Amino acid sequence: MGARVVVLDYGFGNVRSAVRALERVGADVTLTADRTAAQEADGLVVPGVGAFAACMAGLKAVRGHEVVGRRLAGNRPVLGICVGMQVMFDAGVEHGERAEGIGEWPGVVERLDAPVVPHMGWSPVEAPEGSTLFEGIADERFYFVHSYAAQTFTKGYDENALGTFRPPRVTWAEHGGRFVAAVEDGPLSATQFHPEKSGDAGSHLLDNWLRSLA
């Protein structure tokens, strides 16, 4: 039996393809909004497509933000995908309107400053040394579809932080300018791209995440 993974079904996400992609790499997957199942699973996947504010409203409707918070407080793994990554930041600004996020990471998700938006297609990433998610696939391309992203990442760069504190591992990509493509921060991991649409490289990344749950 593979790792037990819940894909959070809150109305905003490419959920069926995420379920199939996780099943292909051996996960025992349940698609549900049930908070108990989401809390008890080995891993929780938070997908997301569309507008930041709408995704946050959907999450709050099923109290998904509380489940994420409780899991992380207990060092229980969570993987956010696309807007499911964006909502982990403090806020998102779309069309001049600011919506509050879950707030696990400081920063604001904003529109990409690029000649062509959305950023759609396959792009390389710049993964850090020691990455778990990108082990064996740091040179691959991944599939992005987005108009907004976090363009800075400031958590973990406090020079006065305790020596035992491991700063998050941040992966970057470029479209117009640099933006955050993925983060690995203790039990919380996330990707701006869609691993479930990224072919063999995406499957390898999901497999790397599953192995980290053991």
Side-chain angles (χ1 to χ4, degrees), residues 9-125:
D9 187 12
Y10 66 104
F12 294 86
N14 197 31
V15 291
R16 296 297 175 186
S17 57
V19 168
R20 287 194 296 269
L22 286 157
E23 287 176 340
R24 279 197 298 270
V25 292
D28 175 14
V29 188
T30 303
L31 176 63
T32 183
D34 181 79
R35 290 192 298 277
T36 300
Q39 189 66 43
E40 294 179 353
D42 297 322
L44 175 67
V45 174
V46 182
V49 296
F52 186 106
C55 281
M56 272 306 300
L59 270 177
K60 287 182 176 178
V62 300
R63 290 165 59 187
H65 60 305
E66 296 177 6
V67 173
V68 168
R70 283 200 297 271
R71 284 188 64 90
L72 296 178
N75 207 38
R76 305 278 286 165
V78 175
L79 174 66
I81 296 174
C82 198
V83 185
M85 168 176 169
Q86 295 178 6
V87 296
M88 300 301 171
F89 287 88
D90 284 336
V93 175
E94 296 185 6
H95 310 297
E97 296 292 323
R98 179 185 171 104
E100 297 305 308
I102 294 176
E104 290 295 332
W105 296 321
V108 178
V109 172
E110 298 179 292
R111 185 176 172 85
L112 293 168
D113 183 12
V116 177
V117 175
H119 171 215
M120 184 181 300
W122 297 81
S123 294
V125 299

